[in-house]
Amino acid sequence: MTRLSLHITLAAACVTGLAACDPQSGTDVSRGETAFVPDYQGVDTRLLEGDLVNFHVAMTGARDADDVHDYAECAAAQYTLIRGFGFARHVRTTTDNQGGLWKGDAVYTISPALPRGLKTIDAEVIVANCEENGIPTV
């Protein structure tokens, strides 16, 4: 189930009174969960060398480092398409959280064909998933 589907399902439960929820995020506030209200604050993209690209992202409202990683992946996927390629391979992502401001520093290689390695992405599929989940791209 995608995050969006989960949010819709939980929001429906909120409306019907089955849980004490935040209808925007579908978060069950009766269990002390905090609402997921991300504020995506931009992407800085740098071509390092050849097919190696660095993405710096910043956001507030992230639940954890996975949200920051998702944001960077969305940026990488869109950048890959903009450059006329179809695939990318994740090299590394580091994250930092200082006072609620999450920053990510991610590196990807981009290529026209599926690259070797385990952490490859199909850029079109990822961009569509990002759009479905409300995560901005470059």
Side-chain angles (χ1 to χ4, degrees):
M1 178 179 286
T2 66
R3 286 185 185 172
L4 181 60
S5 299
L6 179 61
H7 289 273
I8 291 170
T9 302
L10 289 173
C14 295
V15 171
T16 60
L18 297 177
C21 296
D22 172 0
Q24 278 296 94
S25 66
T27 304
D28 183 349
V29 293
S30 67
R31 291 190 294 172
E33 295 177 11
T34 57
F36 179 52
V37 184
D39 180 16
Y40 300 101
Q41 299 186 353
V43 178
D44 180 32
T45 305
R46 295 185 185 135
L47 183 60
L48 298 176
E49 181 180 318
D51 63 353
L52 199 60
V53 186
N54 185 216
F55 301 90
H56 289 264
V57 298
M59 68 183 292
T60 58
R63 294 168 291 202
D64 54 34
D66 288 342
D67 291 331
V68 181
H69 173 81
D70 290 347
Y71 185 26
E73 183 175 71
C74 290
Q78 183 64 52
Y79 180 84
T80 300
L81 295 177
I82 289 169
R83 297 288 299 215
F85 296 112
F87 300 93
R89 182 175 57 85
H90 179 251
V91 176
R92 66 141 176 92
T93 300
T94 59
T95 59
D96 183 45
N97 178 12
Q98 299 224 353
L101 176 62
W102 284 85
K103 293 183 179 182
D105 178 359
V107 175
Y108 286 81
T109 60
I110 59 174
S111 64
L114 185 63
R116 294 173 61 176
L118 298 175
K119 297 181 180 180
T120 59
I121 63 171
D122 180 323
E124 287 183 5
V125 171
I126 296 299
V127 167
N129 187 48
C130 297
E131 290 172 356
E132 182 179 309
N133 289 299
I135 304 171
T137 58
V138 176

